[in-house]
C-alpha cells in the first residue's frame, strides 16, 4: 500500500516505497522464527529447494556482488499425497477464483502504463531479464502474455491438478534465491486496519494523521524526525511544520502510528460513513521496530514476539507509547482516498490473499508468482491454525521493511480478522515467478 501497507514499514514512495508499508512489522520475527518444515524431506528436495549445483553457482554470483535473485527451475512436480503444491481453494470457492481474476486484471492494466514501461526499462536483474526475453520481446511483454495465458488456463481448467499440469507444460519457473541462496523466504503479512476517526478534533479525537506537506521537497535535509515533527506525546505538530495539515483525528495515539506502519487505513466516521486514507509520502527515514526496542530494553522477550503481544503490552502500559513511538524517526503522510480500496506500489488495488509485496529492485512488478508457505486461518471452532498452502499471487506492492530476495509480505485484507491473522504470520517458504516458455 503505499507505504505500503506492506509490512511494517514499507516506506517506499519517497524512498520508494510502496505500500504495504509494512512491510512487516512491529514484529521482530526475523530472528525469533522456528523453521517449519513445509513438506516431507524427499518432497522438499524434489520440489522446493534450489539444486546444490545452482546454489553454488549463485553463491559465487553473490561473492562477485552480482544481483542473482532469481534462478530458473524445472517445473515443480507434486509429490504423492502432498497437495500443498496445489492452489486447491481456487476450485473450491468461486469467490477465490474471482479474486484472482480481479488481481490479474489489475496487473494487466498496470503493465500497459507508462509507469510499467519505465519500471521494466530500469529493471536491473540480469538473470531473469536476459533469460526471460524470447522472440525479441521485452520482459514486460512476456510478463503480460504470461498473465493472459494463465487467465485462459484458469478459466478452462476444472481442477487444481489440471491447472498445475498445464502450468508444467507451458510455463517456466524462476525461484527466488531467498535469504540463504537456497530458496528460503521469510513470509509476513499485512492488512488494512479499520479505525474510528473524525474530520475535526474533539476531546475524544485528539491524535492526527497529516497530509503531505506541499513544500516537502524544499525542506532542508535531513528532514525532521518523528519526534521533531509531532513531539514526544504526538500532540505538538500544530506548533511546527505540520500546522494546518491535519487530515483526520484518532482517539488513541497508537492507531495513527499503526496506520503509518500499514500505509493505509479504512476509517469509520461519527456521522456513520466510511472513508479511506492511503500513503502519500514520508520523511525519508528508515522504519525502526518498536517491538525490537521493547526487546532491547528487556520489556518483552524477542523470542516469539508478535504484533498481538506488542499491542497487549501497550494496552497495559499506555504511558510508554511516548517512550517508544518517538524512537521511530520515520513518519508517513496520507491522502484521503474516499473509500477506494487499498493500493499497492504499482498503483492498482490490492486483493486479499492474492497480492504480495516484495523488493521491487529485485522482483518484476505486476508479475504472476506462486508462493508456498504456512499461513494462519481461523478454523470452524474460531481458533487460529496454520496451514501449508500454495497460492498464485500478483506482485503488486513493496515496502520499506521488505528488502532483499528473502522477504515477502502477503496482503490479507481489511479489518480485525485480517489484522489478527497478519499479526501472527511469520513463516519460511518459497517464492516463484511464472513466465511462458
Amino acid at each position: 500500500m503505499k507505504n505500503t501497507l506492506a509490512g511494517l514499514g514499507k516506506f517506499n514512495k519517497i524512498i520508494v516505497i510502496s505500500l504495504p508499508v509494512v512491510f512487516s512489522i512491529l514484529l521482530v520475527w526475523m530472528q525469533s522464527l522456528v523453521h517449519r518444515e513445509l513438506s516431507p524431506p524427499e518432497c522438499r528436495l524434489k520440489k522446493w529447494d534450489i539444486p546444490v549445483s545452482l546454489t553454488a553457482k549463485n553463491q559465487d554470483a553473490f561473492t562477485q556482488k552480482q544481483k542473482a535473485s532469481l534462478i530458473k527451475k524445472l517445473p515443480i512436480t507434486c509429490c504423492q499425497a502432498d497437495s500443498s503444491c496445489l492452489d486447491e481453494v481456487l476450485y473450491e470457492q468461486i469467490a477465490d477464483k474471482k479474486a484472482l481474476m480481479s488481481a490479474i486484471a489489475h496487473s494487466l492494466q498496470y503493465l500497459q502504463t507508462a509507469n510499467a514501461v519505465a519500471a521494466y526499462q530500469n529493471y536491473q536483474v540480469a538473470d531473469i531479464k536476459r533469460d526471460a526475453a524470447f522472440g525479441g520481446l521485452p520482459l514486460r511483454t512476456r510478463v503480460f502474455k504470461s498473465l493472459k495465458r494463465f487467465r485462459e488456463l484458469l478459466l478452462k481448467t476444472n481442477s487444481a491438478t489440471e491447472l498445475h499440469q498445464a502450468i508444467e507444460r507451458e510455463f517456466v519457473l524462476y525461484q527466488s534465491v531467498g535469504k540463504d541462496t537456497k530458496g528460503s523466504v521469510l513470509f509476513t503479512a499485512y492488512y488494512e486496519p479499520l479505525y474510528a476517526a473524525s474530520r475535526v478534533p474533539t476531546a475524544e479525537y485528539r491524535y492526527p494523521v497529516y497530509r503531505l506537506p506541499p513544500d516537502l521537497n524544499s525542506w532542508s535535509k535531513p528532514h525532521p524526525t518523528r519526534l521533531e515533527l509531532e513531539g514526544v506525546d504526538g500532540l505538538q505538530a500544530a506548533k511546527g511544520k505540520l500546522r494546518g495539515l491535519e487530515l483526520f483525528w484518532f482517539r488513541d495515539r497508537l492507531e495513527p502510528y499503526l496506520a503509518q506502519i500499514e500505509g493505509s487505513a479504512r476509517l469509520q466516521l461519527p456521522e456513520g460513513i466510511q472513508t479511506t486514507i492511503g500513503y502519500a509520502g514520508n520523511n525519508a527515514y528508515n522504519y525502526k521496530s518498536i517491538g525490537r526496542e521493547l526487546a532491547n530494553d528487556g520489556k518483552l522477550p524477542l523470542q516469539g514476539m508478535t504484533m498481538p503481544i506488542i499491542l497487549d503490552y501497550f494496552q497495559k502500559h499506555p504511558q510508554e507509547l511516548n517512550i517508544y513511538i518517538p524512537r521511530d524517526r520515520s513518519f508517513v503522510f496520507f491522502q484521503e482516498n474516499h473509500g477506494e480500496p487499498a493500493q499497492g506500489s504499482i498503483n492498482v488495488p490490492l486483493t486479499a490473499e492474492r497480492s504480495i509485496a516484495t523488493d521491487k529492485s529485485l522482483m518484476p512488478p505486476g508479475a504472476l508468482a506462486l508462493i508456498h508457505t504456512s499461513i494462519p486461518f481461523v478454523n470452524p471452532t474460531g481458533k487460529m491454525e496454520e496451514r501449508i498452502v500454495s497460492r498464485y499471487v500478483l506482485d503488486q506492492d513493496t515496502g520499506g521493511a521488505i528488502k532483499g530476495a528473502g522477504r515477502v509480505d502477503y496482503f490479507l485484507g481489511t479489518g480485525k480478522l485480517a489484522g489478527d491473522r497478519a499479526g501472527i504470520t511469520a513463516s519460511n517458504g518459497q517464492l516463484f515467478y511464472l513466465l511462458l516458455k
Side-chain angles (χ1 to χ4, degrees), residues 19 34 47 50 57 64 94 142 200 202-203 215 247 249 260 294 300 312 327 330 344 349 359 361 384 408:
L19 315 180
V34 174
K47 296 190 307 180
I50 293 175
K57 177 182 176 182
Q64 299 167 20
I94 294 177
R142 190 175 178 192
V200 297
T202 68
D215 60 345
L247 186 60
W249 279 261
Q260 290 189 38
L294 287 167
L300 289 174
D312 180 67
R327 292 188 187 181
S330 66
D359 185 339
S361 69
M384 288 283 186
V408 169

Side-chain angles (χ1 to χ4, degrees), residues 63-299:
T63 300
Q64 299 167 20
K65 297 185 179 180
Q66 298 175 0
K67 288 184 176 179
S69 57
L70 295 166
I71 289 192
K72 186 189 294 186
K73 282 200 65 174
L74 294 174
I76 296 171
T77 300
C78 292
C79 293
Q80 186 174 7
D82 177 17
S83 61
S84 71
C85 68
L86 301 176
D87 193 345
E88 294 183 314
V89 70
L90 287 173
Y91 298 86
E92 296 171 352
Q93 302 178 30
I94 294 177
D96 250 279
K97 182 176 285 191
K98 286 183 176 179
L100 180 55
M101 294 289 289
S102 176
I104 291 170
H106 293 147
S107 276
L108 288 172
Q109 176 188 2
Y110 160 74
L111 290 165
Q112 299 175 82
T113 66
N115 287 341
V117 172
Y120 276 89
Q121 284 177 342
N122 295 327
Y123 188 67
Q124 297 300 313
V125 182
D127 317 51
I128 186 172
K129 195 170 185 178
R130 179 181 58 250
D131 292 346
F134 73 111
L137 293 177
L139 175 58
R140 179 180 62 88
T141 304
R142 190 175 178 192
V143 170
F144 183 85
K145 289 180 174 292
S146 299
L147 277 174
K148 291 189 69 174
R149 180 54 180 160
F150 178 82
R151 183 172 62 180
E152 292 171 357
L153 294 173
L154 189 59
L155 288 171
K156 68 187 292 187
T157 54
N158 297 309
S159 70
T161 299
E162 190 178 343
L163 175 63
H164 183 87
Q165 292 170 345
I167 288 170
E168 283 188 309
R169 292 193 302 269
E170 299 190 31
F171 287 78
V172 61
L173 274 62
Y174 289 83
Q175 182 171 4
S176 170
V177 300
K179 57 190 177 182
D180 55 0
T181 76
K182 298 178 182 179
S184 180
V185 173
L186 172 63
F187 284 80
T188 51
Y190 65 112
Y191 75 112
E192 180 185 49
L194 173 62
Y195 298 126
S198 171
R199 291 187 184 275
V200 297
T202 68
E204 182 180 11
Y205 295 95
R206 304 169 56 212
Y207 298 96
V209 292
Y210 298 88
R211 296 179 179 86
L212 183 70
D215 60 345
L216 179 64
N217 290 334
S218 66
W219 285 11
S220 60
K221 295 183 179 179
H223 290 332
T225 65
R226 173 183 299 278
L227 177 61
E228 293 166 333
L229 286 171
E230 66 174 9
V232 170
D233 61 0
L235 296 173
Q236 308 306 312
K239 300 176 181 179
K241 287 180 174 293
L242 300 185
R243 182 177 181 179
L245 295 176
E246 295 88 350
L247 186 60
F248 288 95
W249 279 261
F250 294 72
R251 294 182 294 196
D252 185 311
R253 187 181 182 194
L254 188 57
E255 291 176 348
Y257 179 67
L258 293 176
Q260 290 189 38
I261 288 177
E262 296 299 334
S264 73
R266 184 165 293 273
L267 308 181
Q268 180 68 51
L269 304 180
E271 53 268 36
I273 64 174
Q274 288 189 1
T275 188
T276 52
I277 54 174
Y279 175 87
N282 66 46
N283 65 343
Y285 286 96
N286 290 329
Y287 164 80
K288 174 177 278 190
S289 165
I290 62 175
R292 181 175 296 281
E293 289 297 298
L294 287 167
N296 289 344
D297 290 350
K299 299 295 181 69

Side-chain angles (χ1 to χ4, degrees), residues 300-359:
L300 289 174
L302 182 62
Q303 182 72 28
M305 186 182 295
T306 64
M307 182 67 82
I309 291 173
I310 294 170
L311 297 181
D312 180 67
Y313 179 85
F314 284 119
Q315 260 194 339
K316 296 174 179 174
H317 308 280
Q319 71 281 1
E320 294 193 25
L321 289 171
N322 292 348
I323 298 173
Y324 289 97
I325 289 180
R327 292 188 187 181
D328 180 10
R329 298 186 297 173
S330 66
F331 195 88
V332 173
F333 305 106
F334 291 95
Q335 62 189 9
E336 184 175 2
N337 291 334
H338 305 285
E340 292 296 316
Q343 288 200 333
S345 60
I346 64 172
N347 295 318
V348 301
L350 297 172
T351 303
E353 312 275 356
R354 297 296 170 179
S355 293
I356 61 170
T358 64
D359 185 339

Side-chain angles (χ1 to χ4, degrees), residues 407-436:
R407 289 289 282 112
V408 169
D409 222 9
Y410 184 51
F411 182 60
L412 288 175
T414 300
K416 184 179 184 304
L417 178 57
D420 290 345
R421 294 176 64 203
I424 59 172
T425 300
S427 181
N428 290 317
Q430 291 82 25
L431 168 68
F432 305 85
Y433 288 86
L434 284 67
L435 292 174
L436 280 170

Side-chain angles (χ1 to χ4, degrees), residues 358-422:
T358 64
D359 185 339
K360 289 296 175 292
S361 69
L362 301 176
M363 305 306 172
L368 174 68
L370 173 69
I371 61 172
H372 180 72
T373 190
S374 179
I375 300 293
F377 294 87
V378 177
N379 66 22
T381 67
K383 300 287 183 65
M384 288 283 186
E385 64 179 20
E386 293 200 358
R387 301 177 204 161
I388 298 168
V389 299
S390 290
R391 292 287 184 267
Y392 294 107
V393 295
L394 285 303
D395 194 339
Q396 298 173 328
D397 208 353
T398 188
I402 305 304
K403 300 297 184 185
R407 289 289 282 112
V408 169
D409 222 9
Y410 184 51
F411 182 60
L412 288 175
T414 300
K416 184 179 184 304
L417 178 57
D420 290 345
R421 294 176 64 203

